[in-house]
């Protein structure tokens, strides 16, 4: 029998139904002191948005660009919010390309729960690095996705990239 070693999943399993605090995670995380950025997986902060690693990634390096303003309605974003979020996505893609050399990217937003949004009341874009062969038999046969790099390792790479901008 083969065994998949993923000890970090036990933290998810034991705490998935225990939110750190009440309210929207995308609202309270950036309100915490910047000294908590590593714990909160916040990579960088900008005027209208911030970037954080996805705690439950599809692939290593999976991050999100999140406007500070709490809204689930894409049509409510201001021109300034839209522009900065899109520029930040470009910056993040450049940094990711240099830091972890993916062969492709998925960039997108799920608007509303029926569209797949896990947090549907606060808009956020996903940037997922992709490599040839990163989807294999594990998700199809074992309903398991293998993430090849730890979150904090990915966080450090992205944080260093944004610091160099």
């Amino acid at each position: 029998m083969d065994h998949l070693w993923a000890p970090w999943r036990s933290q998810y399993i034991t705490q998935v139904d225990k939110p750190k605090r009440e309210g929207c995670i995308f609202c309270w995380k950036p309100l915490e002191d910047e000294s908590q950025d590593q714990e909160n997986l916040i990579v960088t902060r900008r005027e209208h948005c911030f970037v954080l690693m996805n705690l439950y990634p599809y692939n290593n390096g999976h991050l999100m660009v999140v406007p500070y303003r709490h809204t689930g309605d894409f049509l409510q974003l201001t021109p300034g919010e839209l522009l900065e979020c899109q520029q930040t996505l470009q910056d993040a893609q450049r940094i990711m390309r240099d830091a972890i050399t993916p062969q492709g990217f998925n960039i997108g937003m799920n608007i509303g729960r029926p569209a797949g949004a896990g947090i549907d009341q606060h808009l956020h874009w996903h940037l997922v690095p992709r490599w040839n062969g990163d989807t294999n038999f594990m998700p199809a046969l074992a309903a398991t996705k293998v993430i090849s790099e730890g979150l904090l390792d990915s966080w450090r790479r992205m944080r260093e990239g944004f610091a160099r901008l």
Side-chain angles (χ1 to χ4, degrees):
M1 174 184 292
D2 291 328
H3 295 278
L4 177 63
W5 178 249
W8 55 89
R9 293 290 295 162
S10 65
Q11 179 183 5
Y12 168 72
I13 292 165
T14 60
Q15 299 190 16
V16 68
D17 292 325
K18 299 176 190 174
K20 184 175 178 180
R21 66 169 66 154
E22 294 296 317
C24 175
I25 191 170
F26 293 144
C27 288
W28 63 256
K29 275 193 175 204
L31 291 177
E32 291 195 350
D33 187 83
E34 289 185 28
S35 66
Q36 299 297 305
D37 280 357
Q38 182 174 344
E39 178 183 332
N40 287 321
L41 300 174
I42 294 175
V43 174
T44 193
R45 298 165 181 256
R46 297 206 163 156
E47 182 181 351
H48 297 290
C49 67
F50 64 102
V51 177
L52 78 159
M53 303 303 300
N54 190 324
L55 183 58
Y56 309 112
Y58 295 112
N59 266 344
N60 61 293
H62 178 174
L63 56 78
M64 296 174 289
V65 173
V66 185
Y68 290 113
R69 192 160 58 87
H70 183 83
T71 182
D73 185 351
F74 184 71
L75 300 175
Q76 287 186 7
L77 291 178
T78 67
E81 289 169 326
L82 273 171
L83 179 60
E84 187 178 79
C85 286
Q86 296 303 300
Q87 289 172 329
T88 301
L89 276 166
Q90 280 188 331
D91 289 343
Q93 183 183 3
R94 281 186 197 96
I95 291 164
M96 193 179 286
R97 181 189 60 207
D98 295 340
I100 58 177
T101 62
Q103 296 164 315
F105 297 90
N106 290 126
I107 299 175
M109 176 189 290
N110 301 318
I111 300 175
R113 189 152 313 267
I119 300 174
D120 61 347
Q121 297 300 309
H122 198 132
L123 297 173
H124 54 285
W125 283 264
H126 293 265
L127 176 58
V128 182
R130 302 301 304 265
W131 293 267
N132 289 326
D134 68 11
T135 299
N136 55 30
F137 69 92
M138 291 295 285
L141 299 179
T144 301
K145 177 71 177 165
V146 178
I147 305 297
S148 60
E149 182 176 65
L151 274 173
L152 290 180
D153 293 331
S154 296
W155 179 86
R156 281 185 199 91
R157 289 177 190 238
M158 295 303 296
R159 179 85 167 201
E160 289 167 3
F162 273 100
R164 285 191 298 270
L165 284 182

